[in-house]
Coordinates of all heavy atoms in Angstrom, one line a residue:
M5 N 175.8 138.8 51.3 CA 174.4 139.0 51.4 C 173.8 138.1 52.4 O 174.1 137.0 52.4 CB 173.8 138.8 50.0 CG 172.3 138.9 50.0 SD 171.6 139.3 48.4 CE 171.1 137.8 47.7
D6 N 172.9 138.7 53.2 CA 172.3 138.0 54.3 C 171.0 137.4 53.8 O 170.1 138.1 53.3 CB 172.0 138.9 55.5 CG 171.4 138.2 56.7 OD1 171.3 137.0 56.7 OD2 171.0 138.9 57.6
S7 N 170.8 136.1 53.8 CA 169.6 135.4 53.3 C 168.6 135.1 54.4 O 167.6 134.4 54.1 CB 170.0 134.1 52.6 OG 170.6 133.2 53.5
S8 N 168.9 135.5 55.6 CA 167.9 135.2 56.7 C 166.6 136.1 56.5 O 166.7 137.2 55.9 CB 168.5 135.6 58.0 OG 168.8 136.9 58.1
P9 N 165.5 135.6 56.9 CA 164.2 136.3 56.7 C 164.2 137.6 57.5 O 164.9 137.7 58.5 CB 163.1 135.3 57.1 CG 163.8 134.3 58.0 CD 165.3 134.3 57.6
A10 N 163.4 138.5 57.0 CA 163.3 139.8 57.7 C 162.6 139.5 59.1 O 161.8 138.6 59.2 CB 162.5 140.8 56.9
P11 N 163.0 140.3 60.1 CA 162.3 140.1 61.4 C 160.8 140.4 61.3 O 160.4 141.3 60.5 CB 163.0 141.2 62.3 CG 163.6 142.2 61.3 CD 163.9 141.5 60.0
H12 N 160.1 139.6 62.0 CA 158.6 139.8 62.1 C 158.3 140.9 63.1 O 159.0 141.1 64.1 CB 157.9 138.5 62.5 CG 158.3 137.4 61.7 ND1 157.9 137.3 60.3 CD2 158.9 136.2 61.9 CE1 158.3 136.2 59.8 NE2 158.9 135.5 60.8
P13 N 157.3 141.7 62.8 CA 156.8 142.7 63.7 C 156.6 142.1 65.1 O 156.1 141.0 65.2 CB 155.6 143.3 63.1 CG 155.7 143.0 61.7 CD 156.4 141.7 61.6
A14 N 156.8 142.9 66.1 CA 156.6 142.4 67.5 C 155.1 142.3 67.9 O 154.8 141.5 68.7 CB 157.4 143.3 68.5
H15 N 154.3 143.1 67.3 CA 152.9 143.1 67.6 C 152.1 143.7 66.4 O 152.6 144.4 65.5 CB 152.6 143.9 68.8 CG 152.9 145.4 68.7 ND1 154.2 145.9 68.9 CD2 152.2 146.5 68.3 CE1 154.2 147.2 68.7 NE2 153.0 147.5 68.4
Y16 N 150.8 143.4 66.4 CA 149.8 144.0 65.5 C 148.6 144.3 66.3 O 148.3 143.7 67.4 CB 149.4 143.0 64.4 CG 150.4 142.7 63.4 CD1 151.2 141.5 63.4 CD2 150.6 143.5 62.3 CE1 152.1 141.2 62.4 CE2 151.5 143.2 61.3 CZ 152.2 142.0 61.4 OH 153.1 141.7 60.4
T17 N 147.7 145.1 65.7 CA 146.3 145.2 66.2 C 145.4 144.5 65.2 O 145.4 144.9 64.1 CB 145.9 146.7 66.4 OG1 146.8 147.3 67.4 CG2 144.5 146.8 66.9
V18 N 144.8 143.5 65.7 CA 143.8 142.7 64.9 C 142.4 143.4 65.1 O 142.0 143.7 66.2 CB 143.7 141.2 65.3 CG1 142.6 140.5 64.6 CG2 145.1 140.6 65.0
V19 N 141.8 143.6 64.0 CA 140.4 144.3 64.0 C 139.4 143.3 63.4 O 139.6 142.7 62.4 CB 140.4 145.5 63.1 CG1 139.1 146.2 63.1 CG2 141.5 146.5 63.5
L20 N 138.4 143.0 64.2 CA 137.3 142.1 63.8 C 136.2 142.9 63.4 O 135.7 143.8 64.1 CB 137.0 141.2 65.0 CG 138.1 140.4 65.5 CD1 137.6 139.6 66.8 CD2 138.7 139.5 64.5
R21 N 135.7 142.6 62.2 CA 134.6 143.4 61.5 C 133.5 142.5 61.0 O 133.7 141.3 60.8 CB 135.2 144.2 60.3 CG 136.3 145.1 60.7 CD 136.8 145.8 59.4 NE 137.9 146.7 59.6 CZ 137.8 148.0 60.1 NH1 136.7 148.5 60.3 NH2 138.9 148.7 60.3
P22 N 132.4 143.1 60.7 CA 131.3 142.3 60.0 C 131.9 141.9 58.7 O 132.7 142.5 58.1 CB 130.2 143.3 59.8 CG 130.5 144.5 60.7 CD 132.0 144.5 60.9
G23 N 131.4 140.8 58.2 CA 131.8 140.2 56.9 C 131.6 141.1 55.7 O 130.8 142.1 55.8
L24 N 132.1 140.7 54.6 CA 132.0 141.4 53.3 C 130.5 141.2 52.8 O 130.0 140.1 52.8 CB 132.9 140.9 52.3 CG 134.4 141.0 52.7 CD1 135.3 140.3 51.6 CD2 134.8 142.4 52.8
A25 N 129.9 142.3 52.4 CA 128.6 142.2 51.9 C 128.6 141.8 50.4 O 127.7 141.1 50.0 CB 127.8 143.5 52.1
E26 N 129.5 142.3 49.6 CA 129.6 142.1 48.2 C 131.1 142.0 47.8 O 131.9 142.5 48.5 CB 129.0 143.3 47.5 CG 127.6 143.7 48.0 CD 126.6 143.9 46.8 OE1 127.1 143.8 45.7 OE2 125.4 144.0 47.1
P27 N 131.3 141.3 46.7 CA 132.7 141.2 46.3 C 133.3 142.6 46.1 O 132.6 143.5 45.5 CB 132.7 140.4 45.0 CG 131.4 139.7 45.0 CD 130.4 140.5 45.9
G28 N 134.5 142.8 46.6 CA 135.1 144.1 46.5 C 134.8 145.0 47.6 O 135.4 146.1 47.7
D29 N 133.9 144.7 48.5 CA 133.5 145.6 49.6 C 134.7 145.6 50.5 O 135.4 144.6 50.8 CB 132.3 145.0 50.3 CG 131.8 145.9 51.5 OD1 132.4 146.9 51.8 OD2 130.7 145.5 52.0
S30 N 135.0 146.7 51.1 CA 136.2 146.8 51.9 C 136.0 146.4 53.4 O 137.0 146.4 54.1 CB 136.7 148.3 52.0 OG 135.7 149.1 52.6
A31 N 134.8 146.0 53.8 CA 134.5 145.5 55.1 C 134.9 146.5 56.2 O 135.4 146.1 57.3 CB 135.2 144.2 55.4
R32 N 134.7 147.7 55.9 CA 135.1 148.8 56.9 C 133.8 149.4 57.5 O 133.8 150.6 57.9 CB 135.9 149.8 56.2 CG 137.2 149.2 55.6 CD 138.4 150.1 55.7 NE 139.5 149.7 55.0 CZ 140.3 148.6 55.2 NH1 139.9 147.8 56.1 NH2 141.3 148.4 54.5
R33 N 132.7 148.7 57.6 CA 131.5 149.2 58.0 C 131.4 149.4 59.5 O 130.4 149.9 60.0 CB 130.4 148.4 57.5 CG 130.2 148.4 56.0 CD 129.1 147.5 55.6 NE 129.3 146.2 56.3 CZ 129.0 145.1 55.8 NH1 128.4 145.0 54.6 NH2 129.2 143.9 56.4
G34 N 132.3 148.8 60.2 CA 132.2 148.9 61.7 C 133.2 148.0 62.3 O 133.7 147.1 61.7
V35 N 133.5 148.2 63.6 CA 134.4 147.4 64.3 C 133.7 146.7 65.4 O 133.0 147.3 66.2 CB 135.6 148.3 64.9 CG1 136.5 147.4 65.8 CG2 136.4 148.9 63.8
L36 N 133.8 145.4 65.4 CA 133.2 144.5 66.5 C 134.1 144.3 67.7 O 133.6 144.3 68.8 CB 132.7 143.2 65.9 CG 131.8 143.3 64.7 CD1 131.6 141.9 64.0 CD2 130.4 143.7 65.2
R37 N 135.4 144.3 67.4 CA 136.3 144.0 68.5 C 137.7 144.3 67.9 O 138.0 144.1 66.8 CB 136.2 142.6 68.9 CG 137.1 142.2 70.1 CD 136.8 140.9 70.6 NE 137.7 140.4 71.5 CZ 137.6 139.2 72.2 NH1 136.6 138.5 72.0 NH2 138.6 138.8 73.0
T38 N 138.6 144.8 68.8 CA 140.0 144.9 68.4 C 140.9 144.2 69.5 O 140.4 144.0 70.6 CB 140.5 146.4 68.4 OG1 140.4 147.0 69.6 CG2 139.7 147.1 67.3
A39 N 142.0 143.7 69.1 CA 142.9 143.1 70.1 C 144.4 143.4 69.7 O 144.8 143.2 68.5 CB 142.7 141.6 70.1
L40 N 145.2 143.7 70.7 CA 146.6 143.9 70.5 C 147.2 142.5 70.7 O 147.1 141.9 71.7 CB 147.2 144.9 71.5 CG 148.7 145.0 71.4 CD1 149.1 145.7 70.0 CD2 149.2 145.9 72.5
V41 N 147.8 142.0 69.6 CA 148.5 140.7 69.7 C 150.0 140.8 69.6 O 150.5 141.6 68.8 CB 147.9 139.7 68.6 CG1 146.4 139.4 68.9 CG2 148.0 140.2 67.2
E42 N 150.7 140.0 70.3 CA 152.2 140.0 70.3 C 152.7 138.7 69.8 O 152.1 137.7 70.0 CB 152.7 140.3 71.7 CG 152.2 141.7 72.2 CD 152.8 142.1 73.5 OE1 153.8 141.4 74.0 OE2 152.4 143.1 74.1
A43 N 153.9 138.8 69.2 CA 154.5 137.6 68.6 C 154.8 136.6 69.7 O 155.3 137.0 70.8 CB 155.8 138.0 68.0
T44 N 154.5 135.3 69.5 CA 154.7 134.3 70.5 C 156.1 133.6 70.2 O 156.5 132.8 71.1 CB 153.6 133.2 70.4 OG1 153.7 132.5 69.2 CG2 152.2 133.8 70.6
G45 N 156.7 133.8 69.1 CA 157.9 133.1 68.7 C 157.6 131.7 68.1 O 158.6 131.0 67.8
E46 N 156.4 131.4 67.9 CA 156.0 130.1 67.3 C 155.4 130.4 66.0 O 155.0 131.5 65.6 CB 155.0 129.4 68.2 CG 155.5 129.1 69.6 CD 154.4 128.5 70.5 OE1 153.2 128.5 70.1 OE2 154.7 128.1 71.6
F47 N 155.2 129.3 65.2 CA 154.6 129.4 63.9 C 153.3 128.5 64.0 O 153.3 127.4 64.7 CB 155.4 128.8 62.8 CG 156.6 129.8 62.5 CD1 157.7 129.8 63.2 CD2 156.4 130.7 61.5 CE1 158.7 130.7 62.9 CE2 157.4 131.6 61.2 CZ 158.6 131.6 61.9
G48 N 152.2 129.0 63.5 CA 150.9 128.3 63.5 C 150.9 127.2 62.4 O 151.8 127.0 61.7
A49 N 149.8 126.4 62.5 CA 149.6 125.4 61.5 C 149.6 125.9 60.0 O 149.9 125.2 59.1 CB 148.2 124.7 61.7
S50 N 149.3 127.2 59.9 CA 149.3 127.8 58.6 C 150.7 128.0 58.0 O 150.9 128.3 56.9 CB 148.6 129.2 58.6 OG 149.3 130.1 59.4
G51 N 151.7 128.0 58.9 CA 153.1 128.2 58.6 C 153.5 129.6 58.8 O 154.7 130.0 58.6
Y52 N 152.7 130.5 59.2 CA 153.0 131.9 59.5 C 153.2 132.1 61.0 O 152.7 131.4 61.8 CB 151.8 132.8 58.9 CG 151.8 132.8 57.5 CD1 150.8 132.0 56.8 CD2 152.7 133.5 56.7 CE1 150.7 132.0 55.4 CE2 152.6 133.4 55.3 CZ 151.6 132.7 54.7 OH 151.6 132.6 53.3
P53 N 153.9 133.2 61.3 CA 154.1 133.5 62.7 C 152.8 133.7 63.5 O 151.8 134.2 63.0 CB 154.8 134.9 62.7 CG 155.4 135.0 61.3 CD 154.5 134.2 60.4
R54 N 152.8 133.2 64.7 CA 151.7 133.2 65.6 C 151.8 134.4 66.5 O 152.8 134.7 67.1 CB 151.7 131.9 66.4 CG 150.7 131.8 67.6 CD 149.3 131.5 67.3 NE 149.0 130.6 66.3 CZ 148.6 129.3 66.5 NH1 148.6 128.8 67.7 NH2 148.3 128.6 65.4
Y55 N 150.7 135.1 66.7 CA 150.5 136.2 67.6 C 149.4 135.9 68.5 O 148.4 135.3 68.2 CB 150.3 137.5 66.8 CG 151.4 137.9 65.9 CD1 151.7 137.3 64.7 CD2 152.2 139.0 66.4 CE1 152.8 137.7 64.0 CE2 153.3 139.4 65.6 CZ 153.6 138.8 64.4 OH 154.7 139.2 63.7
A56 N 149.4 136.4 69.8 CA 148.4 136.2 70.7 C 148.3 137.4 71.7 O 149.2 138.0 72.0 CB 148.6 134.9 71.5
G57 N 147.0 137.6 72.1 CA 146.8 138.6 73.1 C 145.3 139.0 73.2 O 144.6 138.9 72.2
E58 N 144.8 139.3 74.3 CA 143.4 139.8 74.6 C 142.4 138.8 74.0 O 141.4 139.2 73.5 CB 143.2 141.2 73.9 CG 144.2 142.3 74.6 CD 144.0 143.6 74.0 OE1 143.0 143.9 73.3 OE2 144.8 144.5 74.3
G59 N 142.7 137.5 74.2 CA 141.7 136.5 73.8 C 141.8 136.1 72.3 O 141.0 135.3 71.9
V60 N 142.7 136.7 71.6 CA 142.8 136.4 70.1 C 144.1 135.8 69.9 O 145.2 136.2 70.4 CB 142.7 137.7 69.3 CG1 142.9 137.5 67.8 CG2 141.3 138.4 69.5
Q61 N 144.1 134.7 69.1 CA 145.3 134.1 68.5 C 145.2 134.1 67.0 O 144.2 133.8 66.5 CB 145.5 132.6 69.0 CG 145.9 132.4 70.4 CD 146.3 131.0 70.7 OE1 146.4 130.2 69.8 NE2 146.5 130.7 72.0
A62 N 146.3 134.6 66.4 CA 146.3 134.8 64.9 C 147.6 134.4 64.3 O 148.6 134.7 64.9 CB 145.9 136.2 64.6
D63 N 147.5 133.7 63.2 CA 148.7 133.5 62.3 C 148.6 134.6 61.3 O 147.6 134.7 60.6 CB 148.6 132.1 61.6 CG 148.6 131.0 62.6 OD1 148.7 131.2 63.8 OD2 148.4 129.8 62.2
I64 N 149.7 135.4 61.2 CA 149.7 136.5 60.3 C 150.9 136.5 59.3 O 152.0 136.2 59.7 CB 149.8 137.8 61.2 CG1 148.6 137.9 62.1 CG2 150.0 139.1 60.3 CD1 148.6 139.1 63.1
D65 N 150.6 136.7 58.1 CA 151.6 136.8 57.0 C 152.1 138.2 57.1 O 151.4 139.1 56.7 CB 151.0 136.4 55.7 CG 152.0 136.5 54.5 OD1 153.1 137.1 54.7 OD2 151.7 136.1 53.4
P66 N 153.4 138.4 57.5 CA 153.9 139.8 57.7 C 154.2 140.4 56.3 O 154.2 141.7 56.2 CB 155.2 139.6 58.4 CG 155.6 138.2 58.3 CD 154.3 137.4 58.0
E67 N 154.4 139.7 55.2 CA 154.6 140.3 53.9 C 153.3 140.9 53.3 O 153.4 141.9 52.8 CB 155.2 139.2 53.0 CG 156.7 138.9 53.3 CD 157.3 138.1 52.3 OE1 156.9 138.1 51.1 OE2 158.2 137.2 52.6
T68 N 152.2 140.2 53.4 CA 151.0 140.6 52.8 C 150.1 141.3 53.8 O 149.0 141.8 53.5 CB 150.2 139.5 52.1 OG1 149.8 138.5 53.2 CG2 151.0 138.8 51.1
R69 N 150.4 141.2 55.1 CA 149.6 141.7 56.2 C 148.2 141.1 56.2 O 147.2 141.7 56.5 CB 149.5 143.2 56.2 CG 150.8 144.0 56.3 CD 150.8 145.4 56.2 NE 149.6 146.0 56.8 CZ 149.4 146.3 58.0 NH1 150.3 146.1 58.9 NH2 148.2 146.9 58.5
T70 N 148.2 139.8 56.0 CA 147.0 139.0 56.0 C 146.9 138.1 57.2 O 147.8 137.5 57.6 CB 146.9 138.1 54.7 OG1 147.1 139.0 53.5 CG2 145.6 137.3 54.6
V71 N 145.7 138.1 57.8 CA 145.4 137.2 58.9 C 145.0 135.9 58.3 O 144.0 135.8 57.7 CB 144.3 137.8 59.8 CG1 144.0 136.8 61.0 CG2 144.7 139.1 60.4
E72 N 145.9 134.9 58.4 CA 145.7 133.6 57.8 C 144.9 132.6 58.6 O 144.3 131.8 58.0 CB 147.1 133.0 57.4 CG 147.9 133.8 56.5 CD 147.3 133.8 55.0 OE1 146.5 132.9 54.7 OE2 147.7 134.7 54.3
A73 N 144.9 132.8 59.9 CA 144.1 131.9 60.8 C 143.9 132.7 62.1 O 144.7 133.5 62.5 CB 144.9 130.6 61.1
V74 N 142.7 132.5 62.7 CA 142.4 133.3 63.9 C 141.4 132.5 64.8 O 140.5 131.8 64.2 CB 141.9 134.7 63.5 CG1 140.5 134.6 62.8 CG2 141.8 135.6 64.8
T75 N 141.6 132.6 66.1 CA 140.6 132.2 67.0 C 140.3 133.3 68.0 O 141.2 134.2 68.2 CB 141.0 130.9 67.8 OG1 142.2 131.2 68.6 CG2 141.2 129.7 67.0
V76 N 139.1 133.4 68.5 CA 138.7 134.4 69.4 C 138.1 133.7 70.6 O 137.2 132.9 70.6 CB 137.6 135.3 68.8 CG1 137.1 136.4 69.7 CG2 138.1 135.9 67.5
D77 N 138.7 134.0 71.8 CA 138.3 133.4 73.0 C 138.3 131.9 72.9 O 137.4 131.2 73.4 CB 137.0 133.9 73.5 CG 137.0 135.4 73.7 OD1 138.1 135.9 74.1 OD2 136.0 136.1 73.6
G78 N 139.3 131.3 72.2 CA 139.4 129.9 72.0 C 138.4 129.2 71.0 O 138.4 128.0 70.8
E79 N 137.7 130.0 70.3 CA 136.7 129.5 69.3 C 137.1 130.1 67.9 O 137.7 131.1 67.8 CB 135.3 130.0 69.7 CG 134.9 129.6 71.1 CD 134.5 128.1 71.2 OE1 134.2 127.5 70.2 OE2 134.7 127.5 72.3
E80 N 136.5 129.4 66.9 CA 136.6 129.9 65.6 C 136.0 131.3 65.5 O 135.1 131.6 66.3 CB 136.0 129.0 64.6 CG 136.7 127.7 64.4 CD 136.1 126.8 63.3 OE1 135.2 127.3 62.6 OE2 136.4 125.6 63.3
L81 N 136.4 132.1 64.5 CA 135.8 133.4 64.3 C 134.3 133.2 64.0 O 133.9 132.4 63.3 CB 136.5 134.0 63.1 CG 136.3 135.5 62.9 CD1 136.9 136.3 64.0 CD2 137.0 136.0 61.6
P82 N 133.5 134.0 64.7 CA 132.0 133.9 64.5 C 131.7 134.0 63.0 O 132.3 134.8 62.3 CB 131.4 135.0 65.3 CG 132.5 135.2 66.4 CD 133.8 135.0 65.8
Y83 N 130.6 133.3 62.6 CA 130.2 133.3 61.2 C 129.9 134.8 60.8 O 129.2 135.5 61.5 CB 128.9 132.5 61.0 CG 128.5 132.5 59.6 CD1 129.1 131.7 58.7 CD2 127.4 133.2 59.2 CE1 128.7 131.6 57.4 CE2 127.0 133.2 57.9 CZ 127.6 132.4 57.0 OH 127.2 132.4 55.7
G84 N 130.4 135.2 59.7 CA 130.2 136.5 59.1 C 131.2 137.5 59.5 O 131.2 138.6 59.0
W85 N 132.1 137.2 60.5 CA 133.1 138.2 60.9 C 134.4 138.0 60.0 O 134.6 136.9 59.5 CB 133.5 138.0 62.3 CG 132.5 138.4 63.3 CD1 131.1 138.5 63.1 CD2 132.8 138.6 64.7 NE1 130.5 138.8 64.3 CE2 131.5 138.9 65.3 CE3 133.9 138.7 65.4 CZ2 131.4 139.3 66.6 CZ3 133.8 139.0 66.8 CH2 132.5 139.3 67.4
V86 N 135.1 139.1 59.8 CA 136.4 139.0 59.2 C 137.5 139.6 60.1 O 137.2 140.4 60.9 CB 136.4 139.7 57.8 CG1 135.5 139.0 56.8 CG2 136.1 141.2 57.9
A87 N 138.7 139.1 60.0 CA 139.8 139.6 60.8 C 140.8 140.3 59.8 O 141.2 139.8 58.8 CB 140.5 138.5 61.5
Q88 N 141.2 141.5 60.2 CA 142.1 142.3 59.4 C 143.1 143.0 60.4 O 142.9 142.9 61.6 CB 141.3 143.4 58.6 CG 140.3 143.0 57.7 CD 139.5 144.1 57.1 OE1 139.1 145.0 57.8 NE2 139.2 144.0 55.8
L89 N 144.1 143.6 59.8 CA 145.1 144.3 60.6 C 144.7 145.8 60.6 O 144.3 146.3 59.6 CB 146.5 144.1 60.2 CG 147.0 142.6 60.2 CD1 148.4 142.6 59.8 CD2 146.8 142.1 61.6
A90 N 144.9 146.5 61.7 CA 144.8 147.9 61.7 C 145.7 148.5 60.7 O 146.8 148.1 60.4 CB 145.0 148.5 63.1
E91 N 145.2 149.6 60.1 CA 145.9 150.3 59.0 C 147.3 150.7 59.3 O 148.3 150.7 58.5 CB 145.1 151.4 58.4 CG 143.9 151.0 57.8 CD 144.1 150.2 56.5 OE1 145.1 150.5 55.7 OE2 143.3 149.3 56.2
D92 N 147.5 151.2 60.6 CA 148.8 151.8 61.0 C 149.7 150.9 61.7 O 150.7 151.3 62.3 CB 148.5 153.0 61.8 CG 147.8 152.7 63.1 OD1 147.2 151.6 63.2 OD2 147.7 153.5 64.0
Q93 N 149.5 149.6 61.6 CA 150.3 148.6 62.3 C 151.2 147.8 61.3 O 150.9 147.8 60.1 CB 149.4 147.6 63.0 CG 148.5 148.2 64.1 CD 149.3 148.7 65.3 OE1 150.1 147.9 65.9 NE2 149.2 149.9 65.6
G94 N 152.2 147.2 61.9 CA 153.0 146.2 61.1 C 154.4 146.5 60.9 O 155.1 145.8 60.3
L95 N 154.9 147.7 61.4 CA 156.3 148.0 61.2 C 157.1 147.3 62.3 O 156.6 147.2 63.5 CB 156.5 149.5 61.3 CG 155.8 150.3 60.2 CD1 156.0 151.8 60.4 CD2 156.3 149.9 58.8
P96 N 158.3 146.8 62.0 CA 159.1 146.1 63.0 C 159.3 147.0 64.2 O 159.6 148.2 64.0 CB 160.4 145.7 62.3 CG 160.0 145.7 60.9 CD 158.9 146.7 60.7
T97 N 159.2 146.5 65.4 CA 159.5 147.3 66.6 C 160.4 146.6 67.5 O 160.6 145.4 67.4 CB 158.1 147.6 67.4 OG1 157.5 146.4 67.7 CG2 157.3 148.5 66.6

């Protein structure tokens, strides 16, 4: 049995949206920005694989498809924004 971790996807599309209005809101009210990010081969401070592209750097948990840390144009995510992955992304390529 191979105990090595599964390969991480080569890229994702990160979607930046307005923040959640109420608990349980899906935050799908609009898209402020998207960015195609590619694996850098490094791990971020969060411990998850680092992806970068189009001005966005993100640490992404490939198992849960959660953006664990993100910067946009070298800055923290603007107040009220959330970062998610596009629905059709995340399969190993």
Side-chain angles (χ1 to χ4, degrees):
M5 176 155 94
D6 183 9
S7 62
S8 62
H12 302 297
H15 65 274
Y16 288 102
T17 299
V18 174
V19 180
L20 304 175
R21 301 178 184 277
L24 302 174
E26 309 227 352
D29 187 352
S30 66
R32 304 219 189 293
R33 295 180 308 213
V35 174
L36 301 168
R37 182 170 170 176
T38 64
L40 179 64
V41 293
E42 297 186 9
T44 65
E46 300 174 353
F47 288 83
S50 67
Y52 292 101
R54 168 79 39 99
Y55 291 79
E58 299 182 14
V60 174
Q61 286 192 8
D63 297 356
I64 299 173
D65 178 347
E67 288 188 31
T68 64
R69 296 178 37 84
T70 302
V71 178
E72 296 290 342
V74 64
T75 59
V76 178
D77 299 328
E79 303 288 332
E80 291 183 14
L81 196 62
Y83 182 77
W85 290 22
V86 295
Q88 301 173 319
L89 298 182
E91 293 295 323
D92 60 348
Q93 298 290 307
L95 299 176
T97 56

